[in-house]
């Protein structure tokens, strides 16, 4: 999901880049060649000449500054920018964590690993996700058009790409939240529906794809899952 936020931002703002795809389910992030680009072995990673940068938020802000993206993405106004920073700081251990666990427990564990998740664990995760969505509405969105004001910012991109993770697993998180659903429509309209769909095409089809995970990585993850579930 962080890769999708960077991809949408770069495409929307006409930033030139060469996309290099890393097959996570094949464990390509653990290869020595990728470690030379990002020793953290995570995506996304940016290589700009001899300069290498990890972490999606850092990459978004770097691109915004280097290519002088329109001000609304990361505003110069001190307090408006602070609101964007506030959301970006909050989401790491809140919405992002919930969305990732919801996808893994609802789809990845049972479909790709053949590892059932105890119903009470999934219910707890979905309840935590619902609580995060309430905070997203009450604290950040409120009665504004976007999360930090009347214009779209990188905060909205980071949020919407996170939310599409549980959506891809079948969570109907927008159906009972009209305010959040209207926000999603505004974000899609600002980004461009064709670009939004292009960026999310693979993840939205994930639950219908046959498992293609590298066997060694699959066994490694199974052991991790068993420790987590027990």
């Amino acid at each position: 999901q962080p890769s999708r936020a960077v991809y949408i931002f770069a495409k929307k703002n006409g930033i030139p880049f060469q996309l290099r795809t890393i097959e996570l389910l094949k464990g390509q992030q653990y290869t020595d060649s990728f470690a030379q680009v990002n020793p953290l072995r995570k995506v996304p990673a940016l290589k700009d000449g001899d300069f290498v940068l990890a972490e999606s938020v850092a990459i978004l802000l770097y691109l915004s500054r280097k290519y002088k993206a329109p001000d609304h993405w990361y505003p110069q106004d001190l307090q408006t920018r602070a609101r964007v920073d506030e959301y970006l700081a909050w989401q790491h251990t809140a919405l992002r964590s919930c969305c990732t666990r919801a996808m893994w427990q609802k789809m990845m564990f049972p479909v790709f690993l053949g590892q059932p998740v105890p119903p009470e664990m999934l219910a707890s995760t979905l309840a935590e996700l619902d609580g995060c969505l309430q905070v997203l509405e009450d604290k950040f969105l409120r009665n504004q058009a976007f999360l930090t004001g009347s214009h779209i910012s990188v905060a909205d991109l980071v949020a919407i790409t996170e939310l599409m993770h549980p959506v891809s697993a079948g969570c109907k998180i927008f159906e009972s939240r009209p305010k959040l659903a209207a926000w999603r429509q505004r974000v899609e309209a600002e980004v461009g529906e064709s670009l939004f769909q292009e960026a999310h095409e693979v993840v939205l089809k994930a639950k219908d794809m046959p498992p293609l995970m590298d066997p060694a990585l699959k066994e490694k993850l199974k052991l991790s899952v068993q420790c987590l579930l027990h």
Side-chain angles (χ1 to χ4, degrees):
Q1 57 272 45
S3 297
R4 294 195 296 273
V6 172
Y7 178 82
I8 291 172
F9 182 81
K11 293 276 283 189
K12 177 64 178 176
N13 289 284
I15 297 172
F17 66 93
Q18 182 179 5
L19 182 67
R20 300 291 181 91
T21 301
I22 300 298
E23 297 285 351
L24 301 181
L25 294 182
K26 294 181 180 179
Q28 290 181 356
Q29 69 273 31
Y30 298 117
T31 61
D32 292 339
S33 60
F34 184 71
Q36 293 176 9
V37 177
N38 184 4
L40 300 177
R41 301 180 187 274
K42 295 180 179 180
V43 293
L46 171 73
K47 192 173 188 296
D48 185 10
D50 293 331
F51 180 69
V52 177
L53 185 64
E55 297 299 322
S56 58
V57 169
I59 293 171
L60 284 168
L61 301 188
Y62 175 81
L63 293 176
S64 176
R65 291 160 175 151
K66 176 171 180 175
Y67 291 94
K68 297 179 172 59
D71 184 71
H72 61 82
W73 288 111
Y74 193 55
Q76 290 296 318
D77 177 77
L78 180 63
Q79 292 187 355
T80 308
R81 174 174 286 195
R83 289 299 181 201
V84 176
D85 291 337
E86 181 183 38
Y87 175 78
L88 295 176
W90 172 79
Q91 58 91 27
H92 284 295
T93 56
L95 191 67
R96 183 167 200 275
S97 175
C98 291
C99 288
T100 300
R101 282 187 285 115
M103 182 189 187
W104 274 88
Q105 292 179 15
K106 191 171 177 63
M107 179 175 70
M108 297 296 286
F109 288 169
V111 173
F112 286 87
L113 299 179
Q115 186 79 34
V117 175
E120 62 275 13
M121 175 179 284
L122 178 58
S124 176
T125 295
L126 296 179
E128 187 177 348
L129 173 59
D130 191 60
C132 282
L133 295 177
Q134 195 64 52
V135 174
L136 186 66
E137 286 190 342
D138 295 344
K139 159 66 179 168
F140 295 100
L141 184 57
R142 295 178 289 170
N143 293 315
Q144 306 172 127
F146 297 97
L147 292 183
T148 58
S150 56
H151 301 286
I152 192 172
S153 73
V154 293
D156 297 282
L157 277 190
V158 171
I160 193 64
T161 51
E162 293 294 348
L163 292 176
M164 296 308 292
H165 241 41
V167 167
S168 72
C171 298
K172 302 183 184 302
I173 60 177
F174 293 105
E175 290 191 0
S176 60
R177 293 182 177 275
K179 180 188 290 189
L180 209 59
W183 164 78
R184 173 187 173 178
Q185 291 178 344
R186 288 191 292 271
V187 173
E188 287 193 37
E190 286 289 326
V191 167
E193 292 187 9
S194 61
L195 174 56
F196 187 85
Q197 293 301 320
E198 174 196 338
H200 290 91
E201 181 179 11
V202 173
V203 74
L204 289 176
K205 294 180 179 179
K207 63 179 180 297
D208 300 320
M209 294 170 59
L212 298 174
M213 185 174 290
D214 175 79
L217 178 60
K218 184 174 180 178
E219 290 305 312
K220 180 179 179 181
L221 286 174
K222 271 190 174 182
L223 291 175
S224 300
V225 171
Q226 288 169 0
C227 292
L228 176 64
L229 297 182
H230 298 95

